[in-house]
């Protein structure tokens, strides 16, 4: 056997030659016999159709119409072995004359592992992408601002509300420390979160012309060693709620004040009345001063009535 | 030229043969000449060392010590072409006798595209995983419960706080509609969110033995056609805040009541005083009844003083 015939026989690349017209095999190397699971004798009794699942045969026949004289890349095909297992091969073929017969010489490299690995990677990537999209859908549908920062205080990731609020695009920001574009009074909160504390604060935007309150939550992000590698931050607009609370608190203080004031307002006129009663001359009922005292008492009682009417109006519920 | 020698020459797989001792090339096929960028004459004047970056040569020499008689898979190597471009090849080689010389016959399939594509996929996958981890870090560090649901009302994704709250593991839940394990009174909220509304409500857990309030936010998730394909939900514990608000509101009502009551409490004694003043005999100041009236007035004023002291105590701020 010639050197190159032996090389063909021993090549790790599965190769075979089949008759151009009958598709009968004329030659096969050991790698091809291993790939398809046949003895040399058996293989040489088969045709090129026997290496393919039935549904592939029309395409195979079609490809056979245009096989050039030099090796041509025919791409990826499904082949079938003796046991019926279907696998992927990369086919190179050319038209040739073998032992005086018009034939096709084929290289059928098994790439099934690669195809399967690629498919698996594609599927896993698709799965991860889906999980990612689902998470994004969650954080991007809320009007809360949500973001995370690394220890250098640069944005790691943020939701759409955050970028809309900053009127910035994600690409323009990441390299810049947050202190340069987030409210300056948040830096203390960041310090506290980076020191490992989880906490919430109610923050008023003092630079805003309208009242604007946010509930800010800060949460340390830790690695497996429990070291703080970043922080996650949530900002929720609570202006309406906060204004309501402040209004109620203010009303409360006002009502306490009214109540306190009332109790003092009535003390004065009553003291006057009591004083007048004490100055009455009991020993001499005919004392002309007594008539004056009674007159003053009447006036004081009327004034007192006026005070109480005013208090009643102030204390009116649902004013 | 023999048939198989021609097949070797024309094979799409780059192949060459080099002397076992001098590493000089003894044979090369056209695919190898194309792969390395040399003319046949030039290639045959080189040694196997010339196909490798210098730093790979020690490993190459090491591999040459154990080359078996049949083709062996030597795995992936870095080769270099005439222009200095480095690329990846999959090497199969065996020990042979060629033209009477001990030699090594080599198959060097170019797999650079695959290696690069794999590296790119790996990098992209790593990037996606990092983005995913960053998002997970955000939603898993908050104590807010965060989750999304599909139109069948099954959990799509949820954060750790959600699962901790339910005391469930993510695997046990997804197939079950949320209505079977989330509070029954949320179903109306889900309906509203699936109808396309974004809204928040304050919800009281009436089944909880302790007071428990949550702010629930519901946000529709839409596909590119703006159809609602799911909803995202946030639940934040606002018990403390809500109890404070309720306490303030209650105080407020109580203070209004006190104030109203006060104004009525003082009306009675004042009417008595005014009535007594009116019964006074102005025409005859010496009328002995007048002394009695003054005595009653004194008693009424003292009673009135008691009422006002009591009111003062009730109205005390910071009680």
């Amino acid at each position: 056997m010639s050197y190159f015939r032996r090389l063909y026989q021993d090549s790790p690349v599965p190769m075979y030659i089949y008759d151009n017209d009958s598709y009968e095999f004329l030659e096969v190397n050991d790698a091809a016999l291993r790939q398809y699971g046949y003895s040399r004798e058996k293989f040489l009794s088969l045709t090129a159709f026997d290496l393919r699942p039935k549904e592939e045969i029309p395409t195979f026949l079609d490809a056979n119409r245009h096989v050039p004289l030099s090796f041509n890349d025919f791409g990826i095909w499904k082949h079938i072995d003796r046991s019926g297992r279907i696998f992927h091969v990369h086919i190179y073929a050319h038209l040739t004359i073998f032992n005086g017969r018009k034939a096709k010489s084929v290289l059928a490299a098994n790439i099934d592992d690669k195809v399967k690995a690629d498919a698996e990677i594609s599927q896993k990537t698709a799965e991860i992408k889906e999980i990612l999209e689902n998470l994004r859908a969650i954080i991007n549908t809320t009007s809360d601002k949500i973001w995370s920062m690394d220890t250098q205080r640069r944005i790691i990731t943020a939701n759409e509300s955050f970028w809309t609020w900053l009127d910035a695009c994600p690409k323009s920001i990441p390299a810049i420390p947050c202190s340069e574009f987030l409210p300056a009074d948040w830096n203390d909160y960041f310090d506290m979160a980076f020191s490992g504390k989880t906490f919430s604060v109610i923050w008023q935007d003092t630079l805003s012309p309208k009242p604007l309150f946010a509930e800010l939550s800060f949460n340390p992000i830790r690695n497996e060693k429990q070291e703080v590698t970043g922080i996650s931050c949530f900002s929720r607009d609570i202006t309406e709620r906060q204004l309501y609370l402040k209004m109620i608190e203010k009303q409360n203080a006002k009502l306490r004040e009214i109540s306190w004031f009332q109790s003092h307002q009535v003390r004065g006129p009553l003291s006057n009345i009591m004083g007048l009663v004490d100055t009455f001359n009991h020993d001499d009922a005919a004392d002309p001063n007594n008539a004056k005292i009674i007159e003053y008492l009447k006036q004081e009682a009327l004034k007192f009535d006026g005070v109480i009417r005013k208090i009643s109006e102030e204390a009116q519920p649902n004013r």
Side-chain angles (χ1 to χ4, degrees), chain A residues 177-207:
Chain A
C178 283
S179 48
E180 295 185 22
F181 55 88
L182 292 182
D185 50 347
W186 291 7
N187 280 320
D188 291 343
Y189 302 142
F190 296 152
D191 286 344
M192 218 155 106
F194 276 111
S195 82
K197 286 206 180 65
T198 298
F199 64 100
S200 294
V201 293
I202 289 172
W203 172 78
Q204 181 171 12
D205 187 350
T206 49
L207 299 179

Side-chain angles (χ1 to χ4, degrees), chain A residues 70-122:
Chain A
S70 61
F71 268 109
N72 184 53
D73 185 345
F74 280 89
I76 296 170
W77 292 76
K78 278 185 193 166
H79 275 195
I80 188 166
D81 71 6
R82 186 178 196 172
S83 72
R85 196 178 66 89
I86 291 167
F87 52 94
H88 293 85
V89 289
H90 195 153
I91 295 286
Y92 291 87
H94 71 148
L95 200 59
T96 182
I97 303 291
F98 183 73
N99 287 351
R101 292 165 76 169
K102 203 173 167 188
K104 276 149 186 164
S105 171
V106 180
L107 237 111
N110 192 323
I111 54 157
D112 203 50
D113 286 350
K114 178 187 170 352
V115 169
K116 280 185 182 149
D118 285 357
E120 204 175 312
I121 288 170
S122 296

